[in-house]
Structure formats: C-alpha cells, structure tokens
Amino acid sequence: MEMAELGAAANEKRHFPVSDQIKQREARRWLKSLGYKPSLLDRFEEKGLIGKERIGTGRNSPLYYSRLEIQSALNALKMDGYVNKCQVL
C-alpha cells in the first residue's frame, strides 16, 4: 500500500511539480499528523534522504521540501523496520 502511495505521489509530481513542494512548517505538521515526531524531518535531512530548497533570496525565505522525497524516506524507514525485524527472527 505504501508503494502505491509513493507511485501516486511520483505521478502527481510529474504532472504538477509545484504541488509537490511544501513548506518546512507544513512538512512538520504532515509528519505529526501521520504519527511521527516532527524532528524526523531533520533526521532525514542529516542522513541525506531528503533535500531542502530555499525559494527566494532573503535569509527568512521559506524552506521547501518535496512530498515525494519525504514519502520515500518514510517508506524506507518502514521497510528497514520490516527487514531488521525479519533478520532477528
């Protein structure tokens, strides 16, 4: 099911690239609504799973993230949990 959602997100990004971009605050709220800690966004960025982009030249210009990248990182996290759980058994 997660992979189907990821495919749908990739398709949406291809057809409507602007709708894939979300602000940092929105990304944190989205993660929280999915049941994750908002700080997970920072961990994904540190590990290089997602990237951020500043739209604008000002120091206070908003940071944007890709929904597709965040969704892929979440799926990777879930798959890692499945694989490591199976290795222990």
Side-chain angles (χ1 to χ4, degrees), residues 5-79:
E5 290 174 1
L6 190 60
N11 187 38
E12 184 175 339
K13 181 177 180 174
R14 185 176 30 191
H15 292 295
F16 306 105
V18 174
S19 69
D20 179 59
Q21 299 293 318
I22 58 173
K23 291 182 182 179
Q24 185 178 38
R25 177 175 277 197
E26 294 170 355
R28 290 185 189 279
R29 284 185 191 151
W30 182 43
L31 286 174
K32 191 173 181 179
S33 73
L34 294 175
Y36 297 100
K37 292 184 179 180
S39 61
L40 187 61
L41 190 68
D42 299 326
R43 286 191 17 215
F44 285 159
E45 190 177 342
E46 287 171 7
K47 293 185 183 267
L49 296 173
I50 62 172
K52 62 184 174 186
E53 181 181 359
R54 187 175 300 276
I55 307 288
T57 58
R59 187 179 69 173
N60 293 332
S61 298
L63 295 171
Y64 284 88
Y65 293 90
S66 167
R67 284 184 197 260
L68 178 62
E69 287 181 359
I70 295 171
Q71 188 66 42
S72 335
L74 287 172
N75 286 354
L77 183 68
K78 289 178 187 177
M79 291 305 293

